[in-house]
């Protein structure tokens, strides 16, 4: 299959689109003047609109930080200038001040956060860093998803952490429930067995719903229908370096469809038959691949390498291709999301192996990231040279050099057309 093409060249598209009029308000009844007192204004807006927003369970808080009336008005005028360069400059300047999102050259993208109410505090640390290190300049919106209603506290605290749009939404019931072809009792026995074997999350049903949702459903959420790119963010992660460019645009402009910062070995007990089903799928559908061999171990088995999906910047259009869909559905029918404990990380990774070329997968070396006890940092000399303003903790192991890291194998991997005959 060829690259999913939708949305691959947003900068060209943006260039042809007339500049939008500045959205002074996003919700009916909002003042069109720049408010004198921001805190008060924000309070009023929340009080006035919160009940209805909450009722619908979908809230959109527009950016309403107007720094300085005079500057903003002048810039706003310049933004409408027929001189392309001047207007782009004005937009960039306003984005820098946090007055508007930068429409001119941004990608059509969103952060996507699947999360529970009780993870608010850990998420705020992730979000604070992401905002300070990157998004305060770019103003990409956030979409928060939950299988249960978000609490008022959660929505208010999160909305207060950014001037970008935030949307809170429920997951459709049928994206988070046992499919009817699953025998509930068998599934329960499988969970008990895995828990008895001390497999992490082995006994958890909700974890399995989460993995299946992230494998085959999140990108179908109605609120992402017109969005091309996503960046997955989890609670409790750290971003240690400034991100001084737009990774979404990098992906779009360089023909990338999937990306990672950490690649490692999966726990075998969670995916005993995933590889076998993947090969069966490959055979049935006659897929040839130049990347799957990256995942082949010495004896033709799965080497358990996968891209860690708690960080992910990737193309929604790729996940929405019939090819990805059919692979997911094949795996779903094989029942391993419930009878085993297939993670979305190996599923996304093997899908990339089947469907993408090596050059469509990007390793973001310059995004320093920690999830749980695993950290990736660019090496010190290069991060200093690149001026990334990093704060990678001293003495913390860079996972890149660890024996369980699949990064060295990635770096030395040569694209290779591979077929079942080679197993
Ligand atoms: P780990 O990274 O594999 O240890 O798993 P996590 O507990 O971090 O879960 C992965 C992501 O899914 C995180 O963003 C969680 O907040 C989210 N998540 C996990 N289980 C649930 C759940 O039952 N409901 C919701 N709404 N989110 C969940
Ligand atoms: Mn996690």
């Amino acid at each position: 299959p060829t690259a999913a093409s939708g949305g691959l060249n947003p900068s060209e598209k943006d260039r042809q689109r007339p500049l939008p009029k500045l959205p002074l308000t996003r919700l009916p009844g909002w003042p069109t003047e720049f408010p004198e007192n921001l805190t008060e204004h924000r309070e009023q807006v929340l009080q006035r609109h919160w009940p209805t927003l909450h009722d619908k369970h979908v809230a959109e808080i527009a950016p309403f930080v107007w720094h300085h009336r005079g500057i903003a008005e002048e810039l706003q005028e310049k933004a409408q200038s027929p001189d392309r360069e001047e207007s782009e400059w004005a937009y960039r300047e306003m984005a820098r001040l946090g007055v508007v999102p930068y429409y001119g050259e941004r990608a059509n993208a969103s952060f996507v956060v699947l999360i529970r109410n009780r993870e608010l505090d850990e998420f705020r640390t992730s979000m604070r860093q992401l905002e300070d290190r990157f998004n305060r300049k770019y103003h990409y919106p956030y979409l928060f998803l939950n299988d249960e209603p978000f609490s008022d506290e959660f929505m208010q605290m999160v909305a207060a952490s950014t001037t970008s749009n935030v949307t809170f939404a429920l997951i459709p019931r049928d994206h988070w429930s046992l499919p009817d072809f699953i025998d509930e009792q068998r599934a329960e026995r499988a969970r008990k067995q895995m828990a008895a074997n001390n497999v992490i999350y082995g006994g958890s049903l909700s974890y399995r719903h989460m993995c299946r949702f992230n494998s085959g459903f999140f990108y179908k959420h109605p609120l992402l229908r017109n969005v091309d790119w996503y960046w997955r963010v989890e609670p409790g992660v750290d971003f240690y370096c400034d991100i001084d460019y737009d990774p979404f645009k990098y992906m779009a402009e360089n023909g990338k469809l999937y990306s990672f910062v950490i690649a490692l070995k999966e726990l075998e007990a969670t995916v005993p038959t995933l590889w076998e089903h993947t090969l069966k799928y490959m055979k049935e559908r006659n897929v040839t691949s130049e990347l799957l061999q990256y995942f082949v171990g010495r004896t033709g088995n799965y080497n358990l390498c996968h891209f860690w999906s708690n960080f992910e910047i990737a193309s929604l259009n790729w996940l929405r291709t019939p090819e990805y869909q059919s692979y997911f559905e094949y795996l779903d029918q094989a029942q391993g999301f419930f009878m085993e404990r297939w993670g979305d990380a190996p599923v996304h990774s093997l899908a990339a192996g089947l469907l993408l070329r090596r050059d469509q997968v990007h390793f973001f070396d310059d995004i320093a990231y920690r999830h749980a006890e695993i950290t990736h940092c660019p090496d010190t000399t290069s991060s200093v040279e690149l001026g990334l303003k990093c704060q990678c903790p001293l003495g913390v192991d860079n996972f890149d050099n660890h024996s369980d890291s699949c990064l060295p194998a990635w770096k030395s991997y040569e694209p290779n057309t591979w077929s079942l005959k080679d197993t």
Side-chain angles (χ1 to χ4, degrees), residues 232-251:
R232 176 168 154 192
V233 189
E234 280 204 5
V237 303
D238 287 322
F239 294 94
Y240 291 130
C241 296
D242 278 5
I243 302 165
D244 275 338
Y245 66 100
D246 183 338
F248 292 119
K249 279 193 62 200
Y250 178 88
M251 299 280 290

Side-chain angles (χ1 to χ4, degrees), residues 21 33 38 65 120 154 157 200 203 240 253 261-262 264 283 286 293 329 342 347 360 368 385 395 401 416:
K21 267 222 158 287
E33 290 291 300
L38 289 181
V65 175
L120 171 61
F154 187 97
M157 295 290 271
I200 184 170
Y240 291 130
E253 284 167 3
V261 290
I262 290 165
L264 73 170
K283 193 167 176 188
N286 218 355
Q293 191 160 31
E329 274 154 32
W342 295 351
V347 169
Q360 291 172 316
E385 275 162 24
N401 310 318
N416 199 341

Side-chain angles (χ1 to χ4, degrees), residues 223-276:
L223 289 168
L224 290 172
R225 192 178 298 135
N226 299 314
V227 181
D228 295 328
W229 303 94
Y230 72 98
W231 179 334
R232 176 168 154 192
V233 189
E234 280 204 5
V237 303
D238 287 322
F239 294 94
Y240 291 130
C241 296
D242 278 5
I243 302 165
D244 275 338
Y245 66 100
D246 183 338
F248 292 119
K249 279 193 62 200
Y250 178 88
M251 299 280 290
E253 284 167 3
N254 293 282
K256 308 290 182 186
L257 294 174
Y258 190 82
S259 70
F260 69 97
V261 290
I262 290 165
L264 73 170
K265 304 271 173 69
E266 181 57 292
L267 296 170
E268 189 159 16
T270 65
V271 287
T273 69
L274 176 60
W275 183 246
E276 171 189 321

